[in-house]
Structures are given as C-alpha cells and as structure tokens.
Amino acid sequence: MEQDWQSVAQLAHLQGRLKLQAAVSAGMVREREERSSNNSGKAEGKRGDHSNSGSRWGEGYRGDHSNSSSSWGEGYREEHSSSSSRRAKGDREHSSNTRGGWAEGGGVCLRRAGLAAALRLPLLLWRRGAARRRAVERCLRCGSVATGRTPCAACGLAGCAYCEACLALGRSRACALLLRSAASPAVRGTAGISPTVAARRWGLSAAQAGAAGAALQFLTARRQHAAGTGPERFLLWAVTGAGKTEITFPLLEAVLAAGGRALVATPRRDVVLELAPRLARAFPAETLAVLYGGSQDRWVPGQLTIATTHQLLRFHHGFDLVIIDELDAYPYHNNPMLAFAAEQACKPDGVFIFLSATPPQKLQRQAHSGKLPHARVPVRYHGHPLPLPRRIPMNPVQQCIKRGALPAAFLQALHRSLAREAQIFIFVARIAHIEGLLTLLRRKIPGVCIEGTSSKDRDRTDKVIAFRNRAITILVTTTILERGVTVPRSDVYILDADSKLFDEASLVQMAGRAGRSKDDPAGRVNFLSPEWTQSQRKAIGQIRTMNSIARKQGYLDKRKASWTH
C-alpha cells in the first residue's frame, strides 16, 4: 500500500500535476519573502505570536480541526492526514482524523510512516530539504516560523519541528509532506466590457463607473508577467460610503463569465455576514461559498467565495481574482501570516484587488509614486461631500466616569442629534468604559433607549440589527463597528479622540459612519478630547482632500459642497 501511494504521488509530481514540498522547511519561504519584498501589496508589520489549536484568530474565527473530509485538485482546501495506511490510484486516503479524495479542488499534507518511506520520494527534493533544515524553518502553509518541537514517532527525532500558528488546521511538521496541485493558468476576464455598460448594468455613479472601468482594463490587459513575481496588484482607493462593494461587481462578473473563480476576503466575520446576501442577489446563478469560523459552507466548491481572511489558509492557488476588502483592518493589517495566506490563495498569474478607504501608508506612497496601479473614488455614491468632523473639548472618559458628570457641550450636542431624530454612534477607546458611560448617559438622557456593545458581547449582532431598525437610539461601542456597518441617518461622537488607540485610519473610518444615506448625507461627526492630536488633524486633512478632489473632478456642485461644516 505504502509503495502504491508513493508511486502515484511521484508520477503526478513528474507530470506537473502535483507539487511535493516539505510542510516545514527553510528555503521556499525565504525565496517567497525575497520575491514579495519587491511587490507592492505585501502587508507591513512585525509578525505576531499565534496560539495553539482552538485559538481565536480575530473576530469569530475558530480553526477547523481535522475531524472532517476534504477533496483535492486545483487550488482547494488543505488538510493533514495522520495515518500510515495509504491507498493508490485516486482511491480515498483514510486516517484516524481525516480523509481526502482525488476530486477537483484541494491539497493534502501526508505524513510518512518513517524516514525509509520518505527517502523513496523524489531525491532532489530531499537533498534540498536537508540543506534547508539548517536554516530557520518555516511552515509552507502559513509562512510562520516553526517554533514548536516535539518527539516524533514518524521520523524518530526527539525535536521534530512543527508550526504552532496554524495548528488548528492540523499539525504541519518537518517530517511531513505538503501535497498541492499545480495551478492552471489564470483567466483574465472577458474583454470588451465598457464602463458605460457596467454603470447601466449595476447602477453605478460616474465616479464608481470610472474606477470600475480602470480596474476592468487592468484585469483584462495582457501584460508581460515575470516568472516568480506573484499576482499582479491593483488598489481601489474609495472613501467610506462610496459603494466599494458595487464597484467590484463588474470585476467579479468579468472573471466568472470567463469561467474563472473569484474570492472576496475581509478581515471580520460581521462584514462577511453583511456582504454575503448582497453577493447572492447580484450573482444568483453562481454557487456562493460563505466561509468563516463555524460556517456550514466549508466544503462548498463555489465559483464565488466570500470569506474571512483567516479562511484563506485553506486555499492554494485556487482563485483567478482575489479581492481583499479593508486590508488595513484588524486582524489582517500587520499580520504577515494572513498576507502570506492571501498570496497563496491567488494563482501566480492572477490578480489582486486591494479595496480600502484608508490604505496603509506604504500602499499610499506606492500609489502616489506610480508603482502601484490604482483608481480613486473621492465621493460617495449619492454625490454629496464627506461630513467634516467638529472638535468639542472634553475631559477623558475615565475622568468623567469617576466624577459622575458629562460636559455640557457634549450633552447639548447629543440633544441636537436627538432633535433631528438621528441614530447616534458613540465610540470609546476601551471596552471597560462602556458600562460606566452607559450609566451616566441613561441618567442624563432618560426615556431614550441606550445600549452598549463590543467584541466581547454575545448579543452584538442582535443589538446592531436593533440599532439599524431604530429600536435602539444611542449605541456606545468600540472600533469593532468602525467598518462594514451602515445605519441611515447617523451622527457620530468619538470620545477620547486623542487616544493612541485611534490612529488616522480609525478616525476616518468611524467618521465614515455618518452621512452615508442619500436621505441624510450631512450627518454630524464630532471629535471629543482634551487634546488636539496629529492623528485628528490628518484624519480631517484626508477628508478635506477627498472632498477637494471630488469637486475638481466635477462630482460635487456648489449646492452639495456647502453641506460640509
């Protein structure tokens, strides 16, 4: 049996249908890092520590353990096998924890029964692997340093290296093989879709259609693609409330019409749940897979997939188009493991679309210098300017809670918002401040439904729905709701706006909750703090710049421009 599965694997490897790699090694990832350091879209930041099996990698994520089945072929999900019994010639491979088939779409990491079996695999691979083990060993599934060491019965080593970062997907160790199918050439999308047609088809504004047209041209163009440079990258830089999701519809349509597979990835589970129904309505004829921690669609082979960024660890060269929404948001931002997973999910000659209202500074510099192709959408879909934040001096929230009093200027502003029947977001820097602030607000503003929520609140989803339906009038929250939440007729109050936890991007995103609806485009935004920081100045400067660009490009008229503060 053992000889049979090795023969099948070696034959597929020699025919170019299968790639055999050590699951934990040194050279392959180093080559990828050197290559990607010259690419424009790699996320910045220091690698963080990751916990063991069952850990929580961001909002709503739980690793899928290997008590399940998977199939493998072109660029699909990866699982580990932990059995020494093998079957040959496309038959199913069984183990005590997993089983995998030879159907289309997957990868499987097979652990050998011992070194004798391992040495019968392609000789070149193992000579290279042995040399690399003297260097820092990294996991080829997630790119993390293999910090774990354990006695191993399979290879006989007392300290066999394994990866702790992606342990929840099954153990990736130095004496295991990672078997992944070779990617087929990426489709480039159907040519000839004009921005005018796209605008009529999807109801896009002039600014949206212009950006979609630039991205479509990039997607369908046939460029010289140097081997090993990775997917091509394009940045869609659109203000909050610009209708970024709708701008991607023509791109998705072009790839799907050409027979390709497309992925929309976003860091947070809440956003996945909000976008999934919109994609289902936009593409009713396509099979849609919705992936997040606890999702029931884990094995749905969808042509169109929407997923949290952690779920990308399950894919290898599976998509022709990968759209990363809100790439500057936690937990994707400054997380090299997730950036590695996103690159692995896209075919080497595929296309990355980065989507953000507040791109990281590195991408902004590359866009300004011409190194990163991009399109900018400086105005919201309804054609009105972004509301400019006003400053209200206020003592720190913790001090107000201790004194049991709120500033008169803050309370007066809240009453003005209530008088115009606005839904009110109150953002605080720390979860610990929510309860104390709720007590003060309920005492000062009786008869109004006031609630609080955070990432630790199990009822967060229900409260957001109630807030959107106007059953809750004032919602005290944290940056967990700074993105992906649209509530008509909203006003925004950011307390402790001078906090180090609120950078320029966070302030812009929170301010972007106001003025999003066509019926109330002039929502109010207030920064409340004892000090006026550089982040606040930059956030207001960025909003002013976008309004200025929109005005110069003819997207705003004087009547609409006068609505800003």
mmCIF file of all heavy atoms in Angstrom, residues 289-325:
data_model
loop_
_atom_site.group_PDB
_atom_site.id
_atom_site.type_symbol
_atom_site.label_atom_id
_atom_site.label_comp_id
_atom_site.label_asym_id
_atom_site.label_seq_id
_atom_site.Cartn_x
_atom_site.Cartn_y
_atom_site.Cartn_z
ATOM 1 N N ALA A 289 -19.976 30.340 -1.854
ATOM 2 C CA ALA A 289 -19.491 29.742 -0.609
ATOM 3 C C ALA A 289 -19.207 30.869 0.378
ATOM 4 O O ALA A 289 -18.490 31.821 0.053
ATOM 5 C CB ALA A 289 -18.241 28.924 -0.853
ATOM 6 N N VAL A 290 -19.773 30.767 1.584
ATOM 7 C CA VAL A 290 -19.589 31.772 2.631
ATOM 8 C C VAL A 290 -18.806 31.121 3.761
ATOM 9 O O VAL A 290 -19.293 30.214 4.429
ATOM 10 C CB VAL A 290 -20.944 32.293 3.139
ATOM 11 C CG1 VAL A 290 -20.732 33.387 4.180
ATOM 12 C CG2 VAL A 290 -21.793 32.814 1.989
ATOM 13 N N LEU A 291 -17.576 31.585 3.981
ATOM 14 C CA LEU A 291 -16.663 30.908 4.906
ATOM 15 C C LEU A 291 -16.250 31.828 6.051
ATOM 16 O O LEU A 291 -15.783 32.940 5.832
ATOM 17 C CB LEU A 291 -15.413 30.430 4.160
ATOM 18 C CG LEU A 291 -15.649 29.493 2.968
ATOM 19 C CD1 LEU A 291 -14.329 29.142 2.302
ATOM 20 C CD2 LEU A 291 -16.377 28.237 3.400
ATOM 21 N N TYR A 292 -16.414 31.319 7.261
ATOM 22 C CA TYR A 292 -15.966 31.983 8.482
ATOM 23 C C TYR A 292 -15.940 30.916 9.568
ATOM 24 O O TYR A 292 -16.315 29.757 9.322
ATOM 25 C CB TYR A 292 -16.916 33.133 8.859
ATOM 26 C CG TYR A 292 -18.364 32.723 8.958
ATOM 27 C CD1 TYR A 292 -18.905 32.217 10.136
ATOM 28 C CD2 TYR A 292 -19.206 32.826 7.851
ATOM 29 C CE1 TYR A 292 -20.227 31.826 10.220
ATOM 30 C CE2 TYR A 292 -20.541 32.442 7.922
ATOM 31 C CZ TYR A 292 -21.041 31.941 9.107
ATOM 32 O OH TYR A 292 -22.349 31.547 9.182
ATOM 33 N N GLY A 293 -15.470 31.240 10.751
ATOM 34 C CA GLY A 293 -15.430 30.262 11.822
ATOM 35 C C GLY A 293 -16.817 29.750 12.153
ATOM 36 O O GLY A 293 -17.698 30.529 12.495
ATOM 37 N N GLY A 294 -17.039 28.439 12.025
ATOM 38 C CA GLY A 294 -18.347 27.859 12.274
ATOM 39 C C GLY A 294 -19.260 27.812 11.070
ATOM 40 O O GLY A 294 -20.411 27.400 11.177
ATOM 41 N N SER A 295 -18.775 28.227 9.897
ATOM 42 C CA SER A 295 -19.598 28.223 8.688
ATOM 43 C C SER A 295 -19.970 26.801 8.280
ATOM 44 O O SER A 295 -19.196 25.855 8.455
ATOM 45 C CB SER A 295 -18.843 28.904 7.538
ATOM 46 O OG SER A 295 -19.496 28.699 6.306
ATOM 47 N N GLN A 296 -21.154 26.663 7.684
ATOM 48 C CA GLN A 296 -21.610 25.373 7.178
ATOM 49 C C GLN A 296 -21.177 25.138 5.732
ATOM 50 O O GLN A 296 -21.445 24.082 5.169
ATOM 51 C CB GLN A 296 -23.145 25.295 7.256
ATOM 52 C CG GLN A 296 -23.699 25.460 8.662
ATOM 53 C CD GLN A 296 -23.198 24.391 9.614
ATOM 54 O OE1 GLN A 296 -23.228 23.200 9.287
ATOM 55 N NE2 GLN A 296 -22.718 24.798 10.781
ATOM 56 N N ASP A 297 -20.516 26.125 5.104
ATOM 57 C CA ASP A 297 -20.154 26.030 3.683
ATOM 58 C C ASP A 297 -18.712 25.613 3.453
ATOM 59 O O ASP A 297 -18.154 25.859 2.390
ATOM 60 C CB ASP A 297 -20.377 27.391 2.999
ATOM 61 C CG ASP A 297 -21.836 27.762 2.915
ATOM 62 O OD1 ASP A 297 -22.673 26.913 3.279
ATOM 63 O OD2 ASP A 297 -22.141 28.892 2.489
ATOM 64 N N ARG A 298 -18.083 24.977 4.455
ATOM 65 C CA ARG A 298 -16.648 24.692 4.348
ATOM 66 C C ARG A 298 -16.291 23.870 3.125
ATOM 67 O O ARG A 298 -15.214 24.001 2.566
ATOM 68 C CB ARG A 298 -16.162 23.974 5.603
ATOM 69 C CG ARG A 298 -16.053 24.858 6.821
ATOM 70 C CD ARG A 298 -15.460 24.112 7.978
ATOM 71 N NE ARG A 298 -16.251 22.944 8.331
ATOM 72 C CZ ARG A 298 -15.842 22.006 9.165
ATOM 73 N NH1 ARG A 298 -14.650 22.099 9.709
ATOM 74 N NH2 ARG A 298 -16.622 20.975 9.450
ATOM 75 N N TRP A 299 -17.171 22.992 2.682
ATOM 76 C CA TRP A 299 -16.841 22.104 1.562
ATOM 77 C C TRP A 299 -17.650 22.439 0.310
ATOM 78 O O TRP A 299 -17.756 21.622 -0.590
ATOM 79 C CB TRP A 299 -17.061 20.646 1.973
ATOM 80 C CG TRP A 299 -16.442 20.331 3.296
ATOM 81 C CD1 TRP A 299 -17.080 19.898 4.413
ATOM 82 C CD2 TRP A 299 -15.062 20.456 3.654
ATOM 83 N NE1 TRP A 299 -16.202 19.743 5.445
ATOM 84 C CE2 TRP A 299 -14.939 20.078 5.012
ATOM 85 C CE3 TRP A 299 -13.913 20.863 2.978
ATOM 86 C CZ2 TRP A 299 -13.736 20.084 5.694
ATOM 87 C CZ3 TRP A 299 -12.708 20.871 3.663
ATOM 88 C CH2 TRP A 299 -12.625 20.485 4.989
ATOM 89 N N VAL A 300 -18.233 23.628 0.265
ATOM 90 C CA VAL A 300 -18.964 24.048 -0.932
ATOM 91 C C VAL A 300 -17.966 24.545 -1.986
ATOM 92 O O VAL A 300 -17.253 25.509 -1.743
ATOM 93 C CB VAL A 300 -19.966 25.173 -0.592
ATOM 94 C CG1 VAL A 300 -20.619 25.705 -1.868
ATOM 95 C CG2 VAL A 300 -21.024 24.666 0.376
ATOM 96 N N PRO A 301 -17.871 23.902 -3.147
ATOM 97 C CA PRO A 301 -16.909 24.319 -4.185
ATOM 98 C C PRO A 301 -17.454 25.469 -5.016
ATOM 99 O O PRO A 301 -17.777 25.317 -6.198
ATOM 100 C CB PRO A 301 -16.742 23.041 -5.015
ATOM 101 C CG PRO A 301 -18.068 22.364 -4.911
ATOM 102 C CD PRO A 301 -18.610 22.679 -3.538
ATOM 103 N N GLY A 302 -17.600 26.631 -4.418
ATOM 104 C CA GLY A 302 -18.212 27.758 -5.114
ATOM 105 C C GLY A 302 -17.293 28.409 -6.131
ATOM 106 O O GLY A 302 -16.089 28.530 -5.918
ATOM 107 N N GLN A 303 -17.890 28.845 -7.226
ATOM 108 C CA GLN A 303 -17.157 29.681 -8.181
ATOM 109 C C GLN A 303 -16.893 31.057 -7.587
ATOM 110 O O GLN A 303 -15.916 31.716 -7.918
ATOM 111 C CB GLN A 303 -17.954 29.822 -9.478
ATOM 112 C CG GLN A 303 -18.020 28.565 -10.325
ATOM 113 C CD GLN A 303 -16.646 28.115 -10.792
ATOM 114 O OE1 GLN A 303 -16.104 27.115 -10.296
ATOM 115 N NE2 GLN A 303 -16.057 28.851 -11.700
ATOM 116 N N LEU A 304 -17.772 31.479 -6.700
ATOM 117 C CA LEU A 304 -17.621 32.749 -5.998
ATOM 118 C C LEU A 304 -17.588 32.467 -4.503
ATOM 119 O O LEU A 304 -18.476 31.800 -3.975
ATOM 120 C CB LEU A 304 -18.784 33.687 -6.347
ATOM 121 C CG LEU A 304 -18.828 35.045 -5.643
ATOM 122 C CD1 LEU A 304 -17.574 35.847 -5.929
ATOM 123 C CD2 LEU A 304 -20.073 35.816 -6.073
ATOM 124 N N THR A 305 -16.560 32.968 -3.835
ATOM 125 C CA THR A 305 -16.378 32.715 -2.406
ATOM 126 C C THR A 305 -16.206 34.035 -1.677
ATOM 127 O O THR A 305 -15.496 34.929 -2.142
ATOM 128 C CB THR A 305 -15.136 31.838 -2.160
ATOM 129 O OG1 THR A 305 -15.304 30.581 -2.817
ATOM 130 C CG2 THR A 305 -14.920 31.596 -0.680
ATOM 131 N N ILE A 306 -16.874 34.160 -0.539
ATOM 132 C CA ILE A 306 -16.621 35.282 0.367
ATOM 133 C C ILE A 306 -16.204 34.690 1.696
ATOM 134 O O ILE A 306 -16.836 33.750 2.200
ATOM 135 C CB ILE A 306 -17.846 36.208 0.520
ATOM 136 C CG1 ILE A 306 -17.507 37.341 1.506
ATOM 137 C CG2 ILE A 306 -19.094 35.456 0.942
ATOM 138 C CD1 ILE A 306 -18.512 38.464 1.515
ATOM 139 N N ALA A 307 -15.124 35.198 2.275
ATOM 140 C CA ALA A 307 -14.535 34.554 3.449
ATOM 141 C C ALA A 307 -13.817 35.569 4.314
ATOM 142 O O ALA A 307 -13.418 36.646 3.849
ATOM 143 C CB ALA A 307 -13.552 33.469 3.005
ATOM 144 N N THR A 308 -13.651 35.218 5.587
ATOM 145 C CA THR A 308 -12.727 35.975 6.428
ATOM 146 C C THR A 308 -11.311 35.641 5.984
ATOM 147 O O THR A 308 -11.052 34.579 5.417
ATOM 148 C CB THR A 308 -12.905 35.608 7.911
ATOM 149 O OG1 THR A 308 -12.705 34.194 8.066
ATOM 150 C CG2 THR A 308 -14.285 35.989 8.413
ATOM 151 N N THR A 309 -10.380 36.541 6.245
ATOM 152 C CA THR A 309 -9.018 36.353 5.758
ATOM 153 C C THR A 309 -8.335 35.132 6.373
ATOM 154 O O THR A 309 -7.446 34.543 5.766
ATOM 155 C CB THR A 309 -8.174 37.606 6.019
ATOM 156 O OG1 THR A 309 -8.349 38.040 7.376
ATOM 157 C CG2 THR A 309 -8.586 38.734 5.099
ATOM 158 N N HIS A 310 -8.745 34.719 7.577
ATOM 159 C CA HIS A 310 -8.144 33.523 8.169
ATOM 160 C C HIS A 310 -8.503 32.263 7.379
ATOM 161 O O HIS A 310 -7.719 31.308 7.344
ATOM 162 C CB HIS A 310 -8.608 33.370 9.619
ATOM 163 C CG HIS A 310 -7.806 34.172 10.582
ATOM 164 N ND1 HIS A 310 -8.195 35.408 11.026
ATOM 165 C CD2 HIS A 310 -6.621 33.921 11.188
ATOM 166 C CE1 HIS A 310 -7.287 35.886 11.854
ATOM 167 N NE2 HIS A 310 -6.331 35.005 11.981
ATOM 168 N N GLN A 311 -9.657 32.255 6.740
ATOM 169 C CA GLN A 311 -10.058 31.077 5.970
ATOM 170 C C GLN A 311 -9.199 30.877 4.723
ATOM 171 O O GLN A 311 -9.213 29.810 4.120
ATOM 172 C CB GLN A 311 -11.532 31.202 5.571
ATOM 173 C CG GLN A 311 -12.496 31.230 6.743
ATOM 174 C CD GLN A 311 -12.516 29.932 7.523
ATOM 175 O OE1 GLN A 311 -12.435 28.859 6.948
ATOM 176 N NE2 GLN A 311 -12.620 30.031 8.840
ATOM 177 N N LEU A 312 -8.424 31.876 4.330
ATOM 178 C CA LEU A 312 -7.577 31.747 3.138
ATOM 179 C C LEU A 312 -6.451 30.748 3.347
ATOM 180 O O LEU A 312 -5.837 30.294 2.373
ATOM 181 C CB LEU A 312 -7.003 33.117 2.750
ATOM 182 C CG LEU A 312 -8.021 34.234 2.502
ATOM 183 C CD1 LEU A 312 -7.354 35.437 1.868
ATOM 184 C CD2 LEU A 312 -9.179 33.760 1.649
ATOM 185 N N LEU A 313 -6.157 30.395 4.594
ATOM 186 C CA LEU A 313 -5.154 29.365 4.856
ATOM 187 C C LEU A 313 -5.562 28.029 4.252
ATOM 188 O O LEU A 313 -4.725 27.141 4.081
ATOM 189 C CB LEU A 313 -4.951 29.210 6.362
ATOM 190 C CG LEU A 313 -4.218 30.358 7.074
ATOM 191 C CD1 LEU A 313 -4.426 30.274 8.576
ATOM 192 C CD2 LEU A 313 -2.737 30.336 6.732
ATOM 193 N N ARG A 314 -6.821 27.867 3.906
ATOM 194 C CA ARG A 314 -7.329 26.604 3.365
ATOM 195 C C ARG A 314 -7.156 26.485 1.851
ATOM 196 O O ARG A 314 -7.502 25.457 1.277
ATOM 197 C CB ARG A 314 -8.815 26.451 3.705
ATOM 198 C CG ARG A 314 -9.072 26.493 5.178
ATOM 199 C CD ARG A 314 -10.550 26.291 5.496
ATOM 200 N NE ARG A 314 -10.727 26.205 6.935
ATOM 201 C CZ ARG A 314 -10.459 25.118 7.640
ATOM 202 N NH1 ARG A 314 -10.035 24.025 7.046
ATOM 203 N NH2 ARG A 314 -10.605 25.110 8.942
ATOM 204 N N PHE A 315 -6.676 27.535 1.207
ATOM 205 C CA PHE A 315 -6.610 27.532 -0.251
ATOM 206 C C PHE A 315 -5.174 27.671 -0.738
ATOM 207 O O PHE A 315 -4.333 28.286 -0.082
ATOM 208 C CB PHE A 315 -7.440 28.676 -0.827
ATOM 209 C CG PHE A 315 -8.911 28.580 -0.514
ATOM 210 C CD1 PHE A 315 -9.434 29.226 0.593
ATOM 211 C CD2 PHE A 315 -9.752 27.829 -1.307
ATOM 212 C CE1 PHE A 315 -10.778 29.139 0.890
ATOM 213 C CE2 PHE A 315 -11.105 27.738 -1.020
ATOM 214 C CZ PHE A 315 -11.617 28.389 0.076
ATOM 215 N N HIS A 316 -4.935 27.113 -1.919
ATOM 216 C CA HIS A 316 -3.619 27.252 -2.551
ATOM 217 C C HIS A 316 -3.830 27.419 -4.054
ATOM 218 O O HIS A 316 -4.307 26.514 -4.738
ATOM 219 C CB HIS A 316 -2.745 26.028 -2.279
ATOM 220 C CG HIS A 316 -1.406 26.093 -2.962
ATOM 221 N ND1 HIS A 316 -0.413 26.945 -2.554
ATOM 222 C CD2 HIS A 316 -0.918 25.423 -4.034
ATOM 223 C CE1 HIS A 316 0.640 26.788 -3.334
ATOM 224 N NE2 HIS A 316 0.358 25.881 -4.244
ATOM 225 N N HIS A 317 -3.479 28.602 -4.554
ATOM 226 C CA HIS A 317 -3.575 28.903 -5.992
ATOM 227 C C HIS A 317 -4.943 28.511 -6.555
ATOM 228 O O HIS A 317 -5.027 27.902 -7.618
ATOM 229 C CB HIS A 317 -2.458 28.198 -6.756
ATOM 230 C CG HIS A 317 -1.096 28.682 -6.400
ATOM 231 N ND1 HIS A 317 0.066 28.066 -6.828
ATOM 232 C CD2 HIS A 317 -0.682 29.736 -5.630
ATOM 233 C CE1 HIS A 317 1.111 28.710 -6.351
ATOM 234 N NE2 HIS A 317 0.697 29.720 -5.617
ATOM 235 N N GLY A 318 -6.003 28.884 -5.826
ATOM 236 C CA GLY A 318 -7.332 28.453 -6.215
ATOM 237 C C GLY A 318 -8.168 29.495 -6.930
ATOM 238 O O GLY A 318 -9.222 29.163 -7.455
ATOM 239 N N PHE A 319 -7.712 30.777 -6.978
ATOM 240 C CA PHE A 319 -8.584 31.829 -7.491
ATOM 241 C C PHE A 319 -7.867 32.667 -8.549
ATOM 242 O O PHE A 319 -6.692 32.997 -8.432
ATOM 243 C CB PHE A 319 -9.055 32.724 -6.354
ATOM 244 C CG PHE A 319 -9.868 31.990 -5.319
ATOM 245 C CD1 PHE A 319 -9.276 31.544 -4.147
ATOM 246 C CD2 PHE A 319 -11.202 31.723 -5.538
ATOM 247 C CE1 PHE A 319 -10.011 30.854 -3.200
ATOM 248 C CE2 PHE A 319 -11.950 31.033 -4.592
ATOM 249 C CZ PHE A 319 -11.354 30.594 -3.422
ATOM 250 N N ASP A 320 -8.629 33.036 -9.564
ATOM 251 C CA ASP A 320 -8.108 33.911 -10.618
ATOM 252 C C ASP A 320 -8.133 35.373 -10.184
ATOM 253 O O ASP A 320 -7.300 36.163 -10.608
ATOM 254 C CB ASP A 320 -8.958 33.734 -11.884
ATOM 255 C CG ASP A 320 -9.031 32.289 -12.332
ATOM 256 O OD1 ASP A 320 -8.122 31.857 -13.054
ATOM 257 O OD2 ASP A 320 -9.983 31.586 -11.939
ATOM 258 N N LEU A 321 -9.105 35.710 -9.350
ATOM 259 C CA LEU A 321 -9.234 37.074 -8.841
ATOM 260 C C LEU A 321 -9.435 37.009 -7.335
ATOM 261 O O LEU A 321 -10.322 36.300 -6.844
ATOM 262 C CB LEU A 321 -10.424 37.778 -9.500
ATOM 263 C CG LEU A 321 -10.804 39.153 -8.920
ATOM 264 C CD1 LEU A 321 -9.689 40.168 -9.170
ATOM 265 C CD2 LEU A 321 -12.122 39.659 -9.531
ATOM 266 N N VAL A 322 -8.612 37.746 -6.594
ATOM 267 C CA VAL A 322 -8.742 37.850 -5.145
ATOM 268 C C VAL A 322 -8.928 39.321 -4.785
ATOM 269 O O VAL A 322 -8.089 40.158 -5.130
ATOM 270 C CB VAL A 322 -7.507 37.280 -4.412
ATOM 271 C CG1 VAL A 322 -7.590 37.569 -2.922
ATOM 272 C CG2 VAL A 322 -7.393 35.786 -4.651
ATOM 273 N N ILE A 323 -10.035 39.621 -4.129
ATOM 274 C CA ILE A 323 -10.316 40.985 -3.683
ATOM 275 C C ILE A 323 -10.199 41.011 -2.161
ATOM 276 O O ILE A 323 -10.923 40.302 -1.460
ATOM 277 C CB ILE A 323 -11.734 41.422 -4.110
ATOM 278 C CG1 ILE A 323 -11.843 41.433 -5.638
ATOM 279 C CG2 ILE A 323 -12.059 42.807 -3.551
ATOM 280 C CD1 ILE A 323 -13.246 41.724 -6.148
ATOM 281 N N ILE A 324 -9.267 41.800 -1.661
ATOM 282 C CA ILE A 324 -9.075 41.951 -0.219
ATOM 283 C C ILE A 324 -9.728 43.263 0.205
ATOM 284 O O ILE A 324 -9.250 44.346 -0.131
ATOM 285 C CB ILE A 324 -7.583 41.951 0.169
ATOM 286 C CG1 ILE A 324 -6.886 40.696 -0.355
ATOM 287 C CG2 ILE A 324 -7.438 42.061 1.684
ATOM 288 C CD1 ILE A 324 -7.335 39.420 0.308
ATOM 289 N N ASP A 325 -10.839 43.150 0.906
ATOM 290 C CA ASP A 325 -11.570 44.329 1.364
ATOM 291 C C ASP A 325 -11.056 44.746 2.740
ATOM 292 O O ASP A 325 -10.817 43.909 3.601
ATOM 293 C CB ASP A 325 -13.063 43.996 1.428
ATOM 294 C CG ASP A 325 -13.917 45.226 1.674
ATOM 295 O OD1 ASP A 325 -13.400 46.344 1.519
ATOM 296 O OD2 ASP A 325 -15.101 45.065 2.024
#
